[in-house]
Amino acid sequence: MKLNTNNNAYIIIYSAVLVVIVAFLLAFVFQALKPMQDANVALDVKKQILYSLNIRGLDGAEAEAKYKEVVLSEDEKDGLKYYGCKIDGQTKYVFPLKGMGLWGGISAFVAVNDDLNTIYGAYFNHESETAGLGAEIKDSQAWQEKFQGKKILADNGEIAINIVKKVEKPEHEVDVVTGATLTSNGVADMLREGLKPYIELLKK
């Protein structure tokens, strides 16, 4: 008996089988590539940590080697993860931060001197900020470098690091990204709220 390929039942069964096959193939490919994807994600994190330590321009192998050289510990306490590093014989701490920008999540790695107050370097990232505006927190190395040497704490021990339209306290303040006030505000909130528990933790 000739199979009626125009029959609705045939079309439904054929479509269902095709979907199952495609789903299986996608799952197989995902599982096969997952170790490589995980390795790439881990390498990207290591590069971002190195960026915060003002070490840039390295390829994958160079970044792996440099990371092993300068990052001496990956510690976690009270649910907070941080990294102990040595640069030219000097101790630095790198703190991962997360916050919200205008269109989505933002993140950072902030490297601090062993006084737990002076910023050594910073690297910012985003999920979906506007190119040429909010995305400058990631794309502008010059803007990230403005954080170097800034003091996190005021004399009274309160978090004082801030991002403002007009810098009046250069020891603590960085000017906003031009045309991206809301994203800049998100970075400021992330710094203030994100750094506070680390400073308190390490000063215990």
Side-chain angles (χ1 to χ4, degrees), residues 4 39 42 46 71 78 80 83 91 98 101 111 122 125 140 143-144 154 194 197:
N4 183 8
K46 291 176 181 178
V71 180
D78 299 333
L80 298 174
Y83 304 83
T91 298
K98 290 189 179 297
N125 204 350
S140 176
W143 186 76
Q144 295 175 7

Side-chain angles (χ1 to χ4, degrees), residues 1 16 20 31 60 63-64 86 93 148 158 160 165 173 177-178:
M1 184 177 69
V20 170
Q31 289 298 324
E64 287 281 8
K86 281 280 187 182
Y93 296 98
Q148 296 174 12
E158 297 295 321
K165 289 185 178 180
E173 296 175 345
V177 175
T178 303

Side-chain angles (χ1 to χ4, degrees), residues 124 143 147 160-166 172-177 183-189 191-192:
F124 299 93
W143 186 76
F147 289 86
I161 187 70
N162 202 5
I163 301 172
V164 296
K165 289 185 178 180
K166 183 179 180 182
H172 302 292
E173 296 175 345
V174 172
D175 56 329
V176 300
V177 175
T183 300
S184 298
N185 290 344
V187 174
D189 291 341
L191 289 170
R192 284 194 302 269

Side-chain angles (χ1 to χ4, degrees), residues 15-136:
S15 300
V17 170
L18 188 61
V19 167
V20 170
I21 293 173
V22 171
F24 173 80
L25 290 175
L26 289 174
F28 176 79
V29 171
F30 173 80
Q31 289 298 324
L33 296 178
K34 193 174 186 303
M36 185 183 300
Q37 293 170 341
D38 291 344
N40 288 336
V41 169
L43 176 59
D44 185 57
V45 170
K46 291 176 181 178
K47 284 186 174 181
Q48 291 184 42
I49 292 170
L50 292 176
Y51 295 159
S52 74
L53 293 165
N54 307 316
I55 302 171
R56 299 174 183 253
L58 303 180
D59 64 24
E62 292 171 336
E64 287 281 8
K66 195 66 175 178
Y67 184 88
K68 291 179 181 178
E69 175 188 335
V70 302
V71 180
L72 304 183
S73 64
E74 299 181 10
D75 302 304
E76 185 172 340
K77 188 174 182 181
D78 299 333
L80 298 174
K81 188 173 186 177
Y82 59 94
Y83 304 83
C85 310
K86 281 280 187 182
I87 300 292
D88 297 327
Q90 298 181 344
T91 298
K92 314 292 178 186
Y93 296 98
V94 176
F95 305 127
L97 309 176
K98 290 189 179 297
M100 284 298 297
L102 176 59
W103 301 112
I106 56 177
S107 61
F109 286 99
V110 177
V112 178
N113 291 339
D114 60 1
D115 63 358
L116 301 177
N117 189 23
T118 306
I119 294 178
Y120 178 72
Y123 177 77
F124 299 93
N125 204 350
H126 66 87
E127 294 177 4
S128 55
E129 297 303 293
T130 306
L133 297 175
E136 289 299 291

